[in-house]
Amino acid sequence: MIRQAIIPLAGLGTRLLPLTSVYAKELLPINGKVGLEYILDECIDAGIKEIIFIISKKKKLIKKYFYNDNFYKKIIKKKKDSRVINEYSKIKKYKKLIKFVYQNNPKGTGDAILKTKNLIKDKFFLILLPDDLIIKKNCSKKMISIHNRYKCSVMASMKVNRNTVKRWGIYSKKKNINRDNFYIKDVIEKPDVKSAPSNNAVIGRYILPKKIFTQLKKKQKGKGGEIHITDSIRQLIKQGEQFIGHGFNGKYLDCGTMHGYIKSSLEISKL
Ligand code: G1P
């Protein structure tokens, strides 16, 4: 059973400057709803019971967004606006699920995940990267059902343009299971076009085993001077741990770049 999810939120969001110079990118609205709420709703709908936010001192605004009870209470006391009451009860529902840990030096996703080590209770847990929105189908829910069937790690996959492989983690396939799923032979963080084993990219949904923490503890900086989760996953695969790549059916929206962020609002408004 997958009960816990981790959302790394300590990144600086430089690709979304100037918005992120004062604001947390995950709190930017996408078609009138905060981006992070789409991710939370995906978790809740997938049956997740606890969500661990990795934030930093610089991103305390995220905590404030969920812990602003007094502000809501004052407004509701003054006028009984049903919309505000609804929003408040929604925020309270989220708040009950969330725990916070801190990563004050942004040293990469691998380092961020390591900060949650003492909070993870089960053998497997879910990670969602908040820049990666997947709409129309709940990717996490589907991945959990695959995990329940095959009892192993599962990661989201999407075919990308060959010229863009340098931007992603890239899979090498071992064997197809069916049309949407395959066993992973290897995964490489941001390879050159020449050395990329495929154009199947890693998208930010991972079901990983608790034993990844042993690898993360040993990990040195990789590509771009960051500690990548991909490098520890690679190590586990080498040790014989089974990983499935899931080619999801939903629509992917890249909210981490200005172009993608603007496009995501347009796409969601069409739903
Ligand atoms: C991260 C991962 C990468 C993955 C990508 C998906 O990269 O390291 O393997 O393909 O997310 O969005 P980042 O976006 O942090 O550069």
Side-chain angles (χ1 to χ4, degrees), residues 15 129 132 167-169 189-190 202-204 206 228 230 252:
R15 289 182 288 194
L129 302 186
D132 294 348
R167 189 254 170 265
W168 313 92
E189 186 64 20
K190 301 185 171 70
V202 176
I203 298 299
Y206 311 74
H228 295 285
T230 318
Y252 171 72

Side-chain angles (χ1 to χ4, degrees), residues 115-127:
K115 307 281 182 208
T116 68
K117 183 175 158 275
N118 296 331
L119 295 177
I120 296 299
K121 296 169 194 154
D122 302 327
K123 267 190 174 169
F124 287 88
F125 58 92
L126 173 70
I127 302 175

Side-chain angles (χ1 to χ4, degrees), residues 45-75:
D45 180 52
I48 293 296
K49 304 291 178 228
E50 185 176 276
I51 301 165
I52 304 166
F53 280 7
I54 306 159
I55 61 168
S56 65
K57 278 185 199 149
K58 284 186 186 148
K59 297 193 73 181
K60 277 210 168 141
L61 209 57
I62 294 178
K63 188 162 185 182
K64 190 169 179 193
Y65 184 78
F66 296 95
Y67 276 69
N68 228 353
D69 299 48
N70 285 340
F71 175 80
Y72 281 94
K73 279 180 195 154
K74 268 186 215 157
I75 295 194

